Amino acid sequence: MSELHLPWLEAAVLLPLIGAICLTRERDPERARHWCLFFAVAAFCCVFCAWLDFESLEAERANDGWRLLSPIFEEPVLVIDELSGPLSSLTALLYALAVAATARTKARRFSFRLTLLSEALTLATLNCQRPWMLIALLALGGLPPYLDLRLRGQPTRIYAIHMTAFIVLMVLGWRLATSQDASRPAMAWSLLPLVAAVLIRSGIAPFHAWLSDLFEHARLGTALLFVAPLPGAYAAVRLLLPIAPTGVLQSIGLLSLATAIYASGMALVQRDARRFFCYLFLSHSSLVLVGLEGVTPLSLTGAMCVWLSAGLALGGFGLTLRALETRIGPLSLTDFHGLYEHTPNLAICFLLTGLASVGFPGAFGFVGMELLVDGVVSAYPYVGVLILLAAAVNGIAIVRAFFLLFTGKKYFSAVSLQVRARERYAVLALAALILIGGVFPQPMVDCCNRAAKLVEQQRWASWQGTSVMANKPAR
């Protein structure tokens, strides 16, 4: 395997950048789609090879090889570990499937250049562990959705205000966190800007308005790919968890739990399919933060599993909604549509991915939700009941949306609404991964457990380095 020890991560970031540059002069939308798919698939192959390289070699050897950026930077810029390996592979897969499932009728209005630029920035973010560079990449990652809104002539004020606040608070928060003595009691106050930045980027209430605004006005594929990797949770893991006192993490967990319940209730009463998906996604991303802030091995493992399973299931759920929008336009949840006879494959995928996201037995999300509840209950007994309540309401909302979209009446169409081959392959790939992960969950659970141990070790090492531990982290 040593012969394959190549600069996979650098190639995974540079290939989409090269593709975005090459597509600047391409005017044929079909050719642009083919080239974008080529670069997206190549990036996924590189990320997956980097993960295999890391798993097959020791960590020191896997991150100590030939690197393209070594003449510029003394230390490695992009580093893979137990957390970034599966997360980067899932993200690259979602980008490739989103491009592959883009219908020919939507290719002219879909910005493939911005998609490749967004993929490059996202993959670089998920494999960056230098704090200031990570902050810079998180700031740059907000540009593609903003440019997409501008190109479509949609309002950008709400999105721009929240992203600007996120960047300013992130820079200020990390500056204060690194300038304060960790042994001083005022450390928690110095972390408030950083906490606020994480809450904004994660869409935690009351900082969630930008998320619903983005899904309402941006292209559904752009909004989905922007939020699916959960960069807010990644920023919390890399920047906040290692240094934050237990009280700060508990406050974030309580806000996230309240947001999960609130978002599940909002998803149940939405009249627009995009806003329904937005609140459904927000509820699941908040549950990930609840598990992360528990800072116990079991809760961290459950949070990592829900992170991956929700990204996979809700990614497929969003692509299914996108395919339905392509056929009949904006989807309303105020009346029955009766689309099952025309698109049975999309109906099955809609129900499968939706139920998988809430932890239905037989899907990978079931194992993650069980671990999350068990881990949180061991530390906070009453919180587990509220997590199950949020998951149950989400399940009811998904079944309600399924009946409204696919049953109730006969739908008459002058054109065929059948799934195209590219969409069918994308849907089947996601469905297969969900079912395989549910039948054979152990490999991914082991991977998530190693990632949880890494996060706990980093947190414990950070607190061990302080002279006076005024508030020891939870074990």
Side-chain angles (χ1 to χ4, degrees):
M1 191 68 182
S2 58
E3 293 81 1
L4 298 179
H5 190 33
L6 300 173
W8 298 116
L9 289 179
E10 288 87 346
V13 175
L14 291 177
L15 280 173
L17 282 178
I18 295 173
I21 296 173
C22 293
L23 292 182
T24 54
R25 296 181 177 274
E26 184 60 60
R27 296 293 180 263
D28 184 4
E30 189 62 20
R31 285 176 54 87
R33 190 185 67 82
H34 285 299
W35 279 111
C36 183
L37 180 60
F38 168 78
F39 284 108
V41 172
F44 166 71
C45 293
C46 290
V47 170
F48 190 70
C49 288
W51 186 23
L52 291 180
D53 210 359
F54 176 81
E55 292 291 337
S56 60
L57 300 174
E58 297 178 0
E60 295 79 4
R61 291 175 57 204
N63 288 311
D64 185 22
W66 172 41
R67 297 184 177 276
L68 298 176
L69 301 179
S70 56
I72 303 176
F73 300 96
E74 296 180 359
E75 298 180 0
V77 177
L78 303 178
V79 178
I80 194 170
D81 59 14
E82 291 83 354
L83 173 62
S84 61
L87 190 57
S88 300
S89 300
L90 172 62
T91 301
L93 176 64
L94 288 179
Y95 271 92
L97 294 180
V99 176
T102 301
R104 186 172 302 175
T105 56
K106 293 287 186 179
R108 191 174 299 276
R109 289 171 287 175
F110 188 78
S111 179
F112 296 105
R113 289 175 296 174
L114 289 180
T115 301
L116 290 176
L117 176 62
S118 175
E119 181 178 11
L121 292 173
T122 303
L123 292 179
T125 301
L126 296 178
N127 291 281
C128 179
Q129 298 184 17
R130 292 185 177 187
W132 284 112
M133 187 169 293
L134 175 59
I135 292 172
L137 289 171
L138 286 169
L140 291 174
L143 283 177
Y146 176 79
L147 296 176
D148 181 76
L149 290 172
R150 290 291 300 270
L151 289 174
R152 300 189 67 199
Q154 298 293 328
T156 60
R157 183 172 62 89
I158 296 178
Y159 178 81
I161 290 174
H162 282 81
M163 288 299 105
T164 302
F166 161 71
I167 296 170
V168 172
L169 290 172
M170 182 69 71
V171 173
L172 177 62
W174 187 249
R175 179 64 179 174
L176 291 175
T178 54
S179 62
Q180 293 286 333
D181 184 2
S183 64
R184 295 172 58 183
M187 178 185 175
W189 293 100
S190 66
L191 291 176
L192 286 181
L194 190 60
V195 170
V198 171
L199 295 179
I200 291 174
R201 188 62 183 84
S202 302
I204 301 300
F207 309 109
H208 64 287
W210 70 271
L211 198 60
S212 58
D213 181 80
L214 178 66
F215 272 93
E216 185 175 355
H217 295 109
R219 294 179 178 88
L220 183 56
T222 301
L224 172 64
L225 295 175
F226 179 61
V227 301
L230 299 186
Y234 187 80
V237 170
R238 296 300 189 192
L239 301 178
L240 197 58
L241 258 66
I243 62 175
T246 305
V248 173
L249 298 181
Q250 288 177 346
S251 63
I252 297 176
L254 290 176
L255 287 174
S256 302
L257 181 61
T259 302
I261 298 173
Y262 162 76
S264 64
M266 290 295 291
L268 188 61
V269 298
Q270 290 303 307
R271 298 186 175 186
D272 179 75
R274 284 195 176 202
R275 294 180 66 88
F276 154 74
F277 177 78
C278 170
Y279 283 108
L280 184 67
F281 187 92
L282 179 58
S283 180
H284 285 84
S285 62
S286 300
L287 290 179
V288 173
L289 280 180
V290 172
L292 291 177
E293 310 314 330
V295 201
T296 63
L298 192 57
S299 69
L300 286 172
T301 302
M304 301 295 179
C305 290
V306 173
W307 193 342
L308 295 177
S309 64
L312 183 64
L314 290 179
F317 195 77
L319 292 179
T320 304
L321 282 179
R322 182 170 175 246
L324 289 174
E325 272 195 357
T326 302
R327 284 157 174 77
I328 63 173
L331 298 172
S332 172
L333 297 180
T334 59
D335 195 9
F336 291 97
H337 294 272
L339 296 173
Y340 183 85
E341 292 184 0
H342 296 274
T343 59
N345 292 331
L346 289 181
I348 295 172
C349 184
F350 184 96
L351 196 59
L352 173 63
T353 54
L355 294 180
S357 67
V358 298
F360 193 78
F364 178 58
F366 173 74
V367 178
M369 191 63 69
E370 285 290 315
L371 291 173
L372 176 63
V373 173
D374 290 344
V376 174
V377 165
S378 62
Y380 314 104
Y382 300 105
V383 173
V385 178
L386 298 178
I387 293 177
L388 293 177
L389 174 63
V393 176
N394 285 330
I396 295 173
I398 290 170
V399 174
R400 169 182 174 268
F402 173 81
F403 283 123
L404 287 173
L405 292 175
F406 295 101
T407 66
K409 68 176 184 181
K410 282 187 173 294
Y411 182 84
F412 299 97
S413 176
V415 296
S416 175
L417 302 181
Q418 290 295 325
V419 179
R420 304 294 187 271
R422 295 188 299 268
E423 295 172 324
R424 183 183 297 110
Y425 294 148
V427 166
L428 289 177
L430 288 172
L433 289 175
I434 291 171
L435 294 177
I436 292 174
V439 177
F440 304 102
Q442 193 60 43
M444 192 55 65
V445 172
D446 290 339
C447 183
C448 293
N449 187 37
R450 292 195 299 271
K453 290 181 179 178
L454 174 67
V455 173
E456 190 185 26
Q457 290 172 2
Q458 291 175 347
R459 175 170 169 79
W460 188 247
S462 176
W463 280 84
Q464 285 288 90
T466 58
S467 57
V468 179
M469 296 175 62
N471 190 1
K472 292 180 65 176
R475 293 287 297 185

